[in-house]
Amino acid sequence: MPDLSIDVVAKAAGVHRSTVSRAFSRPEAVKSETREHILRVAEGLGYTMSPLAQALRRKTSTIIPLIVPDITNPFFAELAKTMTQAADERGYQLMLCVTNGDPAKSDGYFTAMQAMYAPFGIVAPSTKVDTETLKRFAFGHKVVVIDRVEGDDSVPTVTVDSRKGIMLALDHLHSLGHTSIGYVSGIAGTHTAQDRMDAYLELTAQSGSTPVVLDSGSDLDAGTRGAEHFLQMDNPPTAIIAANDMVAFAVISALGRSGLRVPDDVSVIGFDGLALGARFNPPLTTVRQPIADMGHIAIELAEKQNVDSSVDHIVLEPELLLRGSTSGPRK
Amino acid sequence: MPDLSIDVVAKAAGVHRSTVSRAFSRPEAVKSETREHILRVAEGLGYTMSPLAQALRRKTSTIIPLIVPDITNPFFAELAKTMTQAADERGYQLMLCVTNGDPAKSDGYFTAMQAMYAPFGIVAPSTKVDTETLKRFAFGHKVVVIDRVEGDDSVPTVTVDSRKGIMLALDHLHSLGHTSIGYVSGIAGTHTAQDRMDAYLELTAQSGSTPVVLDSGSDLDAGTRGAEHFLQMDNPPTAIIAANDMVAFAVISALGRSGLRVPDDVSVIGFDGLALGARFNPPLTTVRQPIADMGHIAIELAEKQNVDSSVDHIVLEPELLLRGSTSGPRK
DNA sequence: TCGGTTGCTGAGATCGGTTGCAATAACACT
DNA sequence: AGTGTTATTGCAACCGATCTCAGCAACCGA
């Protein structure tokens, strides 16, 4: 491929560089006859425009970064998947950036995205620390956050209603006859984790029961520790709400290792609605977040902000996903 | 940020554009005194070089694409994670590209990576169809494949020894006393899936037993179907080897729904060594692939190829990861 | 037939760097 | 002092597009 530049095509088509450029990026500005000829020639040569050169000159590209803390977490994986989709439906290419919780990295990604003239970026549930970083950069740059952002309304966000989700879980469990319902928290530091916990606390109190927080620790092993705590209790709850599906998995796994069966001995309900949950043992009953919608909406918000410079905060409705990890309490 | 270009810095530092350029990209070519001054000034202005402009001129960038069919599959997620890491240890930035099995998309990504002057790219277990695409592009472009590639030695690859892995699983099961061992295949179309299956068939025959392939179907539901098949057998095997962890999950889940317990009623062993497996119910015994190593090695191979234009085929050793899904056969 | 659009295309500067080449300075050696 | 390096830096072309400004031809109405 002897370096195909716009000039090569121009020469081959017998027109000027700028005409070729127009033929591609502003078709209506070129006589259709000419345009088709150019396009044909280009096609024949196997020519494509250099996104680099374009971005450099236009000062805007089509690559948009999705910044997530950990792609290994299926929630983010699913998010990434639908966002990839949503992105290229609209002609963008998603660039997945994984920070592994390192703020320095998100920092790096932000400046990189800036340097690459990304029209905007998407940040998924960031820890509160990251939020600081975010604020420094969000200024002057379009970012939409898939989470709630505290004390800064200038950033568009899309979240799912945590309170509603917890309520769904609670109601479901209550309707099965559970009265003592424990809770295991998720990855600390995210606002959503906080919100879910708060909702649990509040709603439980409201219904007159005593909240039982089995673990409010911070890392991925919350599930395991929650289960341990559970096993040591004299009068353990008959059901457990896990702050997210991964934690639910860990809880069930740990319980299982100690001979307890779900849902026969304890009911467990998750929060996320991961596809993976359907293949768990038992299939996980959970509060589903409309992940696909979140992806699409995130992009819409971003685009909208780019024209309107409007800042919306969308809150989506979760829904109950009944599978096999809950049942009536053991007598 | 009033557009920070190299000229701005040059002016501020009282030197020529080219000197600034050198200060950054070829430090030894500038008097250390000057260099430090420039760097200081740049720092003060908060200046960073435009990777776009650099790539355009140099005809080589530092972004390297990792092409995977489905990021939702934890195997790829883990791969992506370690590769991200490995990449930026070496100063590259990984750009994750998800094809969702659509060859048109890989096509697109390949031309994109070409256009972005990526120094090379990594392709993870592609289906055989994709391999066609690959061949068209690999020519003239550096690609390393994390899988085996049939009939084309010109592409560097890194794989794990499938035969060895299956042998590990078989030996483990045998040593526990199992004599009838079934098999459920993985995502059809990949060479590794094929290799594992072949290994199973061959090794089983070799040991004098009859292979029992529970499902050789192609999609993600192989596990579920495999379990169904298992349940309908008059004389089912006492253990099952799943072609990969996800399939193992599905098998166990399906078995569980029918009241069968693992490992008490049936032993199940997976292949991959996903972190997720540790949180499964029961924790999954599996054949571990050294995913992290694969990532690092893939990049090394790519770099090596870039200088040497040598083409290596690395085969890594799998190892047995004992957890809780296998035990002696039920009497 | 002439001034006034309108439509299409060419020129050339520009985006933000890189790099071969030339110029200058500094230093070594005979 | 004269000449030959060697170390530094400036100059200017170039990477592959975009875009404003002109130029030119065809078309319109008077």
Side-chain angles (χ1 to χ4, degrees):
Chain A
M1 322 256 170
D3 267 11
L4 241 37
S5 80
I6 198 174
D7 290 294
V8 176
V9 179
K11 214 149 303 165
V15 299
H16 189 268
R17 213 145 91 267
S18 43
T19 305
V20 177
S21 173
R22 291 187 191 104
F24 278 93
S25 15
R26 216 140 35 78
E28 75 288 358
V30 172
K31 203 202 318 186
S32 60
E33 210 175 309
T34 321
R35 168 167 31 95
E36 273 157 32
H37 172 226
I38 294 180
L39 260 28
R40 211 184 331 280
V41 171
E43 167 88 56
L45 264 46
Y47 166 81
T48 353
M49 288 222 160
S50 160
L52 254 54
Q54 286 192 147
L56 181 58
R57 186 60 232 250
R58 290 179 167 164
K59 284 175 172 307
T60 173
S61 70
T62 60
I63 89 142
I64 87 176
L66 168 63
I67 302 184
V68 301
D70 177 16
I71 191 60
T72 264
N73 179 326
F75 173 75
F76 296 124
E78 290 195 14
L79 183 65
K81 179 177 196 161
T82 72
M83 293 251 353
T84 306
Q85 163 103 314
D88 72 38
E89 270 170 17
R90 292 225 184 27
Y92 299 108
Q93 5 253 125
L94 198 74
M95 174 149 181
L96 189 62
C97 307
V98 185
T99 65
N100 278 318
D102 180 355
K105 269 210 185 134
S106 7
D107 232 89
Y109 285 128
F110 273 114
T111 72
M113 85 173 243
Q114 182 159 266
M116 302 273 257
Y117 295 117
F120 55 83
I122 316 278
V123 181
S126 40
T127 64
K128 292 179 188 166
V129 204
D130 278 348
T131 315
E132 290 309 310
T133 312
L134 195 158
K135 279 188 203 151
R136 267 191 294 129
F137 283 93
F139 174 76
H141 292 279
K142 329 299 179 173
V143 171
V144 3
V145 174
I146 299 196
D147 192 352
R148 195 164 58 73
V149 174
E150 199 141 307
D152 185 355
D153 286 343
S154 69
V155 183
T157 58
V158 30
T159 353
V160 53
D161 188 337
S162 298
R163 197 163 192 287
K164 178 74 183 297
I166 295 296
M167 192 183 302
L168 248 27
L170 244 17
D171 287 352
H172 169 59
L173 260 15
H174 283 153
S175 77
L176 286 173
H178 295 275
T179 52
S180 174
I181 301 173
Y183 187 85
V184 182
S185 73
I187 305 165
T190 64
H191 289 292
T192 53
Q194 185 70 52
D195 290 351
R196 291 177 194 173
M197 169 77 108
D198 290 350
Y200 165 77
L201 258 21
E202 192 186 319
L203 290 169
T204 306
Q206 228 167 70
S207 74
S209 351
T210 2
V212 185
V213 174
L214 295 167
D215 190 287
S216 56
S218 49
D219 61 336
L220 272 174
D221 278 326
T224 310
R225 285 200 312 275
E228 278 164 14
H229 183 169
F230 176 94
L231 292 165
Q232 292 166 357
M233 293 182 72
D234 292 332
N235 219 312
T238 57
I240 299 177
I241 297 181
N244 62 250
D245 282 2
M246 286 298 286
V247 168
F249 295 158
V251 168
I252 297 178
S253 177
L255 253 24
R257 265 170 279 156
S258 303
L260 284 185
R261 304 205 51 185
V262 172
D264 300 342
D265 299 318
V266 205
S267 284
V268 175
I269 184 170
F271 200 127
D272 270 351
L274 300 182
L276 232 48
R279 290 183 167 65
F280 199 72
N281 180 32
L284 188 71
T285 291
T286 182
V287 176
R288 195 180 83 84
Q289 301 197 59
I291 301 188
D293 294 343
M294 299 177 80
H296 282 91
I297 292 180
I299 293 196
E300 272 163 29
L301 285 190
E303 289 190 315
K304 188 144 170 287
Q305 182 187 224
N306 256 2
V307 311
D308 271 4
S309 77
S310 66
V311 177
D312 296 350
H313 300 280
I314 305 285
V315 178
L316 268 26
E317 293 289 287
E319 70 190 41
L320 196 59
L321 196 53
L322 287 169
R323 292 201 280 227
S325 63
T326 53
S327 69
R330 188 184 203 86
K331 294 286 150 55
Chain B
M1 323 260 169
D3 267 10
L4 241 36
S5 79
I6 198 174
D7 290 294
V8 176
V9 180
K11 214 149 302 165
V15 299
H16 190 267
R17 208 142 95 271
S18 47
T19 306
V20 177
S21 172
R22 292 187 190 104
F24 278 93
S25 12
R26 215 137 37 80
E28 75 287 358
V30 172
K31 204 204 312 185
S32 60
E33 210 176 308
T34 321
R35 168 167 32 96
E36 272 157 33
H37 172 227
I38 295 180
L39 259 28
R40 212 184 330 280
V41 170
E43 168 88 55
L45 264 47
Y47 166 82
T48 353
M49 289 221 158
S50 160
L52 254 54
Q54 288 192 145
L56 181 58
R57 183 61 231 250
R58 291 181 168 164
K59 284 176 173 306
T60 173
S61 70
T62 59
I63 88 141
I64 86 175
L66 168 64
I67 303 185
V68 301
D70 178 15
I71 191 60
T72 264
N73 179 325
F75 173 75
F76 296 122
E78 290 195 14
L79 184 65
K81 180 179 197 160
T82 72
M83 294 250 355
T84 306
Q85 162 103 315
D88 71 39
E89 271 169 17
R90 292 226 183 26
Y92 299 109
Q93 5 252 125
L94 199 74
M95 174 148 183
L96 189 63
C97 308
V98 186
T99 66
N100 277 318
D102 180 354
K105 269 210 187 134
S106 7
D107 233 88
Y109 285 129
F110 273 114
T111 72
M113 85 173 244
Q114 183 159 265
M116 302 273 258
Y117 296 115
F120 55 82
I122 315 279
V123 181
S126 40
T127 64
K128 293 181 187 165
V129 203
D130 279 347
T131 314
E132 290 309 310
T133 312
L134 195 156
K135 280 189 203 151
R136 265 190 296 128
F137 283 93
F139 173 75
H141 291 278
K142 328 298 179 173
V143 170
V144 3
V145 174
I146 300 196
D147 194 352
R148 198 164 57 73
V149 175
E150 199 141 308
D152 186 353
D153 288 342
S154 69
V155 184
T157 58
V158 29
T159 354
V160 52
D161 189 337
S162 297
R163 198 162 191 286
K164 178 75 183 297
I166 295 296
M167 193 182 301
L168 248 27
L170 243 19
D171 287 353
H172 168 60
L173 260 14
H174 283 153
S175 77
L176 285 173
H178 294 276
T179 51
S180 173
I181 301 171
Y183 186 87
V184 182
S185 73
I187 305 166
T190 64
H191 290 292
T192 52
Q194 185 69 52
D195 291 350
R196 292 176 193 173
M197 169 76 110
D198 290 350
Y200 166 77
L201 259 21
E202 192 186 320
L203 290 169
T204 305
Q206 228 167 69
S207 74
S209 352
T210 3
V212 185
V213 174
L214 295 166
D215 191 287
S216 55
S218 49
D219 62 334
L220 272 174
D221 279 326
T224 310
R225 285 200 313 275
E228 278 165 12
H229 183 168
F230 176 94
L231 292 165
Q232 290 167 357
M233 293 182 70
D234 291 333
N235 218 313
T238 57
I240 299 178
I241 296 180
N244 63 251
D245 282 2
M246 286 298 286
V247 169
F249 295 157
V251 168
I252 297 178
S253 178
L255 253 24
R257 265 169 279 156
S258 302
L260 284 185
R261 303 205 52 184
V262 172
D264 301 342
D265 299 318
V266 204
S267 285
V268 175
I269 184 170
F271 199 127
D272 270 349
L274 300 182
L276 234 49
R279 289 184 167 65
F280 199 72
N281 180 30
L284 188 70
T285 290
T286 183
V287 175
R288 196 180 83 84
Q289 302 197 60
I291 300 189
D293 294 343
M294 298 177 81
H296 282 92
I297 292 179
I299 294 197
E300 272 164 29
L301 285 189
E303 289 190 315
K304 189 142 171 286
Q305 183 189 223
N306 256 2
V307 311
D308 270 3
S309 77
S310 65
V311 176
D312 296 350
H313 300 280
I314 305 285
V315 178
L316 268 28
E317 292 291 287
E319 70 189 42
L320 196 59
L321 196 53
L322 286 169
R323 293 199 282 228
S325 63
T326 54
S327 69
R330 188 183 204 85
K331 294 289 151 52

